[in-house]
């Protein structure tokens, strides 16, 4: 879950993937998250079956509580991501409103997964190392402690990559605002060179610019409806 989920997080942040279409990257992102969710379900089922076979109580530790909670929230995150961002039915304002929440919840889930893994390996060492005990720092304890430190460093690197603006995928050309058709944008050189014109000419320029913007808005709305 740690490795596959981290790959799903940084798939948009790799510069050599910026040349790929955004739709392809969406499918890769969704596919990696689906694989991680399947592996999480398999691991939870295996843990319950092992506990039942060994007559070990279920859901008594903080590790199990947080682990089950993060799996539930991860499934909800995956469902909302499919419904809103992958399927072409959600309106654009809804996607724009949910995107910051989707990003924040994804990073929170990843950080919680790291914390759950750290609690799990510590719990396993306490129960498994009896002679010598965990407090005696046998080689197994040192090895797993180093593994825990590597998990923390790995998680910090992933969060750093996901939070840096210069690692963000550049916007697609289709996402840029269209300029007025048959005219120049307001405030450009074409308008600034008309300072010696009459007030009537300036008024005509404003009217024409406004008409161009309305015409462009109609084309934009028609294009959005065709792609939905």
């Amino acid at each position: 879950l740690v490795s596959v989920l981290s790959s799903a997080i940084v798939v948009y942040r790799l510069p050599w993937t910026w040349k790929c279409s955004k739709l392809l990257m969406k499918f890769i992102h969704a596919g990696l998250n689906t694989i991680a969710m399947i592996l999480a379900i398999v691991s939870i089922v295996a843990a319950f079956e092992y506990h039942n076979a060994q007559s070990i109580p279920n859901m008594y530790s903080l590790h199990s509580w947080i682990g089950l909670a993060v799996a539930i929230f991860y499934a909800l995150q995956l469902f909302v991501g499919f419904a809103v961002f992958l399927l072409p039915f959600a309106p654009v304002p809804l996607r724009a409103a949910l995107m910051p929440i989707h990003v924040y919840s994804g990073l929170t889930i990843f950080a919680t997964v790291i914390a759950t893994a750290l609690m799990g390996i510590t719990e396993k060492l306490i129960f498994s190392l009896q002679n010598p005990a965990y407090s005696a720092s046998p080689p197994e304890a040192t090895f797993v402690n180093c593994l825990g430190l590597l998990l923390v460093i790995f998680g910090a690197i992933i969060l750093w990559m996901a939070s840096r603006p210069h690692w963000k995928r550049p916007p697609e050309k289709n996402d840029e605002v269209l300029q007025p058709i048959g005219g120049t944008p307001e405030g450009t050189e074409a308008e600034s060179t008309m300072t010696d014109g009459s007030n009537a000419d300036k008024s005509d320029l404003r009217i024409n610019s406004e008409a161009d913007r309305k015409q462009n808005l109609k084309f934009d709305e028609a294009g959005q409806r065709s792609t939905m």
Side-chain angles (χ1 to χ4, degrees):
L1 184 60
V2 172
S3 59
V4 181
L5 178 56
S6 63
S7 300
I9 291 175
V10 302
V11 69
Y12 287 111
R13 303 283 176 164
L14 303 177
W16 54 84
T17 66
W18 293 348
K19 296 181 180 180
C20 301
S21 66
K22 192 171 183 179
L23 181 60
L24 175 62
M25 302 313 299
K26 280 186 177 182
F27 278 111
I28 295 176
H29 178 74
L32 290 173
N33 277 289
T34 302
I35 293 173
M37 187 71 246
I38 293 174
L39 295 177
I41 294 174
V42 171
S43 63
I44 291 174
V45 172
F48 274 98
E49 290 186 352
Y50 175 78
H51 280 204
N52 294 333
Q54 299 294 325
S55 299
I56 301 174
N58 292 310
M59 301 301 300
Y60 67 91
S61 64
L62 182 62
H63 165 71
S64 59
W65 284 22
I66 296 181
L68 185 60
V70 75
I72 294 173
F73 281 108
Y74 188 34
L76 181 62
Q77 168 90 345
L78 190 61
F79 173 77
V80 174
F82 269 109
V84 176
F85 300 106
L86 192 61
L87 299 180
F89 303 114
V92 175
L94 178 61
R95 295 185 180 186
L98 289 182
M99 177 56 71
I101 301 175
H102 180 75
V103 173
Y104 175 78
S105 59
L107 297 179
T108 302
I109 289 173
F110 175 71
T112 309
V113 167
I114 295 289
T116 305
L118 295 176
M119 288 186 290
I121 60 179
T122 302
E123 180 181 300
K124 183 65 176 177
L125 283 177
I126 293 175
F127 291 158
S128 299
L129 295 180
Q130 300 296 334
N131 190 20
Y134 184 26
S135 58
S137 298
E140 296 88 347
T142 303
F143 174 78
V144 177
N145 287 347
C146 292
L147 175 62
L149 290 176
L150 291 177
L151 281 176
V152 173
I153 296 173
F154 177 75
I157 293 175
I158 297 298
L159 295 177
W160 182 84
M161 292 178 62
S163 60
R164 296 300 93 188
H166 59 274
W167 284 84
K168 187 176 181 180
R169 177 185 174 91
E172 300 284 345
K173 292 183 179 180
N174 295 334
D175 296 337
E176 297 178 355
V177 178
L178 296 176
Q179 299 296 337
I181 300 174
T184 56
E186 186 176 359
T188 58
E189 183 181 358
E191 186 177 353
S192 62
T193 56
M194 299 184 64
T195 55
D196 295 332
S198 63
N199 294 331
D201 293 335
K202 292 181 180 179
S203 299
D204 292 339
L205 178 61
R206 295 191 188 98
I207 293 173
N208 292 334
S209 298
E210 184 67 24
D212 289 336
R213 282 194 293 269
K214 290 181 179 180
Q215 182 182 7
N216 179 66
L217 180 60
K218 292 180 181 179
F219 283 123
D220 190 18
E221 290 177 351
Q224 288 184 4
R225 285 194 296 269
S226 65
T227 55
M228 298 295 283

